[in-house]
Amino acid sequence: MPVIAIDGPVGSGKSTVAQAVAARLGLAVLETGAMYRAVAVLALRQGIEAGPAGADALAALAAELDVEAFDPAELRTPDVNRAVSAVAAEPGVRAALVPRQRAWIAARGGGVAEGRDIGTVVFPDADVKVFLTATAAERARRRGDEDAEGVARRDHLDSTRAASPLVAATDAVVIDTTGLSVEEIVERIVGLL
Ligand code: DC
């Protein structure tokens, strides 16, 4: 079962690169961030906050989650961008979602998974582990309509949380994507197989 793990901060190119690598190799692609975002949508709707008071309720939402039921646009609103890191820091949420991520890839006989903890936690034995980076200026250019302050806050929370923080696996290949075309990045990743 070929598994390619792609991690990195906001604007590092994960999503675009994961799609392109998957298309090249004929593999499925799993954007794990969508699952955390979907839990954040439900938490906002139901007024559940991360932290001691909401931890059990959030874990229950994650356990029952049907990510297919969400419109991709509703996963990317400014409210969700603001709320998602606190939701993703809940160990109970991660404990519910990680086995589902493994099962999703296993059911497809392998695939490309992207997120923050794929190479460290979800697939520590992945065939290829890549950690994408880019300069702050390049990441700012790519981040879409998410404001710079919000991105910096989200990356800080994602990198400093206790549960599965954003960090390169010791055996990940770090690729600075600044100035590289998607095709060049895909070539490098495919060359690692
Ligand atoms: O990749 P994204 O921006 O859609 O991810 C949204 C948030 O979800 C991100 O700020 C942190 C969290 N996340 C995570 O904790 N672990 C993952 N594997 C993927 C995303």
Side-chain angles (χ1 to χ4, degrees):
M1 169 170 119
V3 177
I4 297 177
I6 301 181
D7 292 300
V10 181
S12 59
K14 292 187 304 293
S15 177
T16 305
V17 168
Q19 297 287 350
V21 168
R24 164 77 82 87
L25 298 174
L27 294 172
V29 58
L30 178 65
E31 294 191 3
T32 59
M35 299 173 81
Y36 293 96
R37 288 173 176 276
V39 177
V41 170
L42 295 175
L44 288 168
R45 258 188 223 159
Q46 301 182 22
I48 302 169
E49 291 200 14
D56 289 349
L58 287 176
L61 289 181
E64 291 159 17
L65 187 72
D66 174 15
V67 75
E68 308 293 332
F70 294 81
D71 182 313
E74 84 182 307
L75 299 179
R76 304 199 165 273
T77 65
D79 282 350
V80 172
N81 288 340
R82 267 192 296 276
V84 68
S85 289
V87 166
E90 286 292 346
V93 170
R94 310 197 71 83
L97 296 185
V98 166
R100 297 176 59 174
Q101 294 162 6
R102 292 183 182 133
W104 194 95
I105 292 287
R108 286 156 183 81
V112 180
E114 66 97 332
R116 304 292 188 289
D117 63 339
I118 308 302
T120 51
V121 174
V122 184
F123 291 110
D125 299 324
D127 301 86
V128 171
K129 294 186 192 181
V130 173
F131 191 88
L132 302 181
T133 63
T135 60
E138 179 67 14
R139 293 172 54 222
R141 199 179 63 74
R142 291 180 190 157
R143 74 184 172 239
D145 51 12
E146 197 171 350
D147 68 284
E149 210 179 303
V151 166
R153 178 183 158 276
R154 189 147 74 89
D155 281 338
H156 177 73
L157 290 172
D158 294 343
S159 305
T160 56
R161 70 186 177 214
S164 311
L166 167 68
V167 62
T170 51
D171 54 350
V173 175
V174 179
I175 301 177
D176 183 344
T177 63
T178 313
L180 295 180
S181 68
V182 174
E183 197 47 41
E184 286 169 321
I185 304 164
V186 170
E187 284 300 330
R188 280 206 204 174
I189 295 174
V190 170
L192 296 171
L193 266 172

